[in-house]
Each structure stands twice: as structure tokens, then as C-alpha cells.
């Protein structure tokens, strides 16, 4: 895909918000008119089929692509109002094991070959690959990506883990590296003395591309396989990050509830 931005979403920790960020960004790029391919590489804790509500149709994955299946036969279009967003689910752990045995290779080798094929497809402006916690798979495919988003929660341990992930991915040939802070709880900055955005940015050597606020209602939508509504700060944050990646200068909390825009001092 010449001219296509290829975005890897990674972290060395599980459960920090990678899949949420990957899907949120994919949806916002599609809303901004991009042709997006969202690809789940996380076989062990695959979740994007659930978050997109297409678990019953998620029959094919990159293993089928490696077996020679056509992209058009494998891809899903999870949201009717977002025809520009196509989705390739992850293989089941069982299918992955079978293929490892068939080909005499490990998971990293399969992921690398799968991403190599997918990255060569035409017809997309944006490829977004979600990976699992742990970095082996991400490292195996890192060199195919033009941008790596290392995802971290607000805690100092998570930020440190993100820095470790970034340095390992850089050594594997990953492209531009950016930090994405997720589940950020602004009210906890003063109430519980947790790190604010500036403190996180100062404590990290990574360039921060955006902050996705904590939204207690998010899981409700995710459980139903729906995107969070446009008024959710998660949606606004993903839109802001998507626009920054496209080169626009977007204020940190643009489009967010007043709470975020007013309490600059708590940053
Ligand atoms: N911004 C957020 N606000 C509230 N909950 C979040 C947010 N981001 C992620 N979560 C929750 O955290 C959990 C892990 O998120 P997920 O995206 O699956 O992480 P990962 O892909 O890193 O394992 C999920 O229950 C999800 O609903
Ligand atoms: Mg995930």
C-alpha cells in the first residue's frame, strides 16, 4: 500500500486499552473519510470481534490470508454507517496452533508473514493492527509499520512499561513512536494525587500523541458491540488523535466535556 499509514498499537502490558484505542482510531479515521483496515493480531485475548459486534461472522483471519484467501472474502464491514472501516479478525488460538504445526513455525513468524501480505494490499489509506500484551508479536511485525502507538494508563508503572515497550520496538525496527495515554481520570489527579498529563509527559521520554479519558460508560457499549457515542470523551479523544496523525494541530482536550477544558491547572 504505497502512501498508506500503517499503525501498530502495542504495549508490554495487557488490559491497558490497546483494543479500545485501535478501534476508536479506526472508526474516527473512517469518519474522516479514510479507507481503514483494522486488523486483530491478538489471538490469545482477541476482542475486536466482540467490540465490533461481529463475533458470529468472524470466520477468517490472517491465517486464511496466508492460506491464499482473497482479502475481499476475509474482510468484514462491522458498522453499516462506516462502510470505509473494514475488519480482519484474529485467528482462534486453536487455528493458530494448527497453522504453527502445519508450517513448523512460531506465532511471531506467522504474524510477520501475515502482516507482510496485508501491508502489500492496495485500496487502504490506513492499516491499524492491534496486538496483545507482551511484545513478541509486535516486534516480529514492527518493521512494516510507519507509526507505533505505545499505549499506557495513567499510573507510573504503566508509563514505565510503555517506555520499555517503545525501546524494544525501536530495536525491532518500528517506525515513529508515540505515547497514547488511556483511561485518564482527571478527577483523580487532585482527589487521589495521581499523575496529571504534564507529569506523565515529563516523566516519559516519548512524544505524547493524545490522552483518552476514562469513561465509566464505555464497557456498556463495548459489551453490546457498539462504538461509544459521539459525546463520549473516548470518541472525542480518538478523533483528536486521528487528526493529529493526519498532521492537524489539535488542542489536547478539544471537543471534550467542559470539565477537561476548564481544569487546565489539574493537568
Ligand atoms: N478510556 C477508557 N475508559 C474506560 N474504560 C476503558 C477505557 N479504555 C479501556 N477501558 C477498559 O479497560 C479494559 C481493557 O481495555 P482493552 O482495550 O481491551 O485493553 P487491551 O487491548 O490493552 O487489553 C476494558 O474493560 C475496557 O472497557
Ligand atoms: Mg486487546
Amino acid at each position: 500500500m504505497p502512501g498508506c499509514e500503517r499503525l501498530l498499537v502495542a504495549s508490554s502490558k495487557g488490559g491497558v486499552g490497546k483494543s479500545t484505542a485501535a478501534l476508536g482510531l479506526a472508526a474516527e479515521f473512517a469518519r474522516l473519510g479514510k479507507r481503514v483496515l483494522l486488523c486483530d493480531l491478538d489471538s490469545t485475548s482477541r476482542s475486536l470481534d466482540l467490540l465490533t459486534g461481529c463475533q458470529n461472522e468472524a470466520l477468517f483471519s490472517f491465517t486464511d490470508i496466508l492460506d491464499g484467501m482473497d482479502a475481499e472474502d476475509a474482510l468484514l464491514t462491522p458498522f453499516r454507517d462506516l462502510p470505509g472501516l473494514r475488519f480482519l479478525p484474529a485467528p482462534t488460538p486453536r487455528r493458530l496452533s494448527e497453522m504453527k504445526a502445519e508450517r513448523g513455525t512460531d506465532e511471531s513468524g506467522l504474524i510477520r508473514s501475515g502482516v507482510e501480505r496485508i501491508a502489500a494490499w492496495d485500496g487502504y489509506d490506513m492499516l491499524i493492527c492491534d496486538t496483545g500484551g507482551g511484545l513478541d508479536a509486535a516486534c516480529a511485525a514492527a518493521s512494516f509499520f510507519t507509526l507505533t502507538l505505545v499505549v499506557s494508563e495513567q499510573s507510573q508503572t504503566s508509563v514505565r512499561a510503555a517506555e520499555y515497550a517503545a525501546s524494544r520496538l525501536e530495536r525491532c525496527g518500528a517506525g515513529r513512536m508515540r505515547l497514547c495515554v488511556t483511561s485518564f481520570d482527571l478527577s483523580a489527579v487532585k482527589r487521589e494525587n495521581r499523575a496529571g498529563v504534564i507529569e506523565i509527559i515529563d516523566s516519559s521520554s516519548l512524544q505524547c500523541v493524545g490522552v483518552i479519558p476514562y469513561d465509566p460508560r464505555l464497557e456498556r457499549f463495548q459489551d453490546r458491540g457498539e462504538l461509544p457515542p459521539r459525546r463520549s470523551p473516548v470518541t472525542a479523544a480518538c478523533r483528536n488523535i486521528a487528526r493529529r496523525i493526519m498532521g492537524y494541530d489539535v488542542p489536547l482536550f478539544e471537543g471534550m466535556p467542559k470539565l477537561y477544558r476548564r481544569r487546565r491547572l489539574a493537568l
Side-chain angles (χ1 to χ4, degrees), residues 55-76:
Q55 61 273 28
N56 296 329
E57 300 142 75
L59 301 176
F60 306 119
S61 72
F62 69 83
T63 54
D64 299 283
I65 303 301
L66 286 173
D67 271 341
M69 183 179 271
D70 247 25
E72 276 314 308
D73 295 331
L75 298 184
L76 301 173

Side-chain angles (χ1 to χ4, degrees), residues 9-16 18 42 44-45 130-138:
V9 182
S11 76
S12 55
K13 289 178 91 164
V16 293
K18 289 179 293 300
D42 182 9
T44 318
S45 43
D130 182 29
T131 61
L135 295 167
D136 290 347

Side-chain angles (χ1 to χ4, degrees), residues 14-46:
V16 293
K18 289 179 293 300
S19 301
T20 300
L23 174 58
L25 285 175
E28 292 312 314
F29 277 121
R31 286 185 178 129
L32 290 164
K34 298 281 182 194
R35 295 165 306 166
V36 184
L37 173 52
L38 174 66
C39 184
D40 193 349
L41 300 178
D42 182 9
S43 166
T44 318
S45 43
R46 74 213 148 88

